[in-house]
Amino acid sequence: MFKEEGTSLFDARSTSLRPTLQGGIPSPINRAHAVRLSLKCMLFIEWHHVLLQAQPAKTRHVSNDSAAVITIQSSSIKWDPVQEMVKHADMKNRKAKESWWQ
């Protein structure tokens, strides 16, 4: 929706649950996990919208942390600012410069 409606303003990719990609059916735990991440994303968007609306109309500007990537680090769900992600990403190949498992 963001990519289609925002034309050149947004770059968005869809994602699929791992079991679906592997030809299986997502388990109830996978579905619950996807819902939890989706809910956190919606809350993030709503929170930044509230912050933006609280500013005077002619001087509104977004903060650097309003563009973020949702990540799972250990057992926590965290937001990484896009500027931080870009430092650690190979944008041409769309992957991390260094993988944690290597």
Side-chain angles (χ1 to χ4, degrees), residues 5 25 28 49-50 64 71 75 79 93 95:
E5 294 295 325
I25 298 172
H49 176 72
V50 168
N64 288 340
T71 62
S75 61
W79 296 101
N93 296 312
K95 64 179 191 172

Side-chain angles (χ1 to χ4, degrees), residues 14-33:
S14 61
T15 184
S16 298
L17 295 172
R18 183 173 25 122
T20 306
L21 294 173
Q22 296 171 344
I25 298 172
S27 70
I29 291 174
N30 288 338
R31 291 174 193 262
H33 188 66

Side-chain angles (χ1 to χ4, degrees), residues 6 8 19-20 29 31 38 41 53 59 92 95:
S8 63
T20 306
I29 291 174
R31 291 174 193 262
S38 299
C41 290
Q53 290 295 322
T59 61
K92 181 180 179 208
K95 64 179 191 172

Side-chain angles (χ1 to χ4, degrees), residues 2 14-15 30 37 51 67 70 83:
F2 284 118
S14 61
T15 184
N30 288 338
L37 289 175
L51 292 177
I70 192 168
Q83 292 89 350

Side-chain angles (χ1 to χ4, degrees), residues 43-86:
L43 290 172
F44 180 87
I45 291 169
E46 289 175 357
W47 172 248
H48 283 282
H49 176 72
V50 168
L51 292 177
L52 194 62
Q53 290 295 322
Q55 297 175 19
K58 293 188 178 190
T59 61
R60 285 185 184 152
H61 71 283
V62 294
S63 62
N64 288 340
D65 66 342
S66 66
V69 177
I70 192 168
T71 62
I72 300 172
Q73 298 176 16
S74 299
S75 61
S76 302
I77 297 173
K78 297 185 180 178
W79 296 101
D80 286 336
V82 170
Q83 292 89 350
E84 187 67 27
M85 182 213 49
V86 169

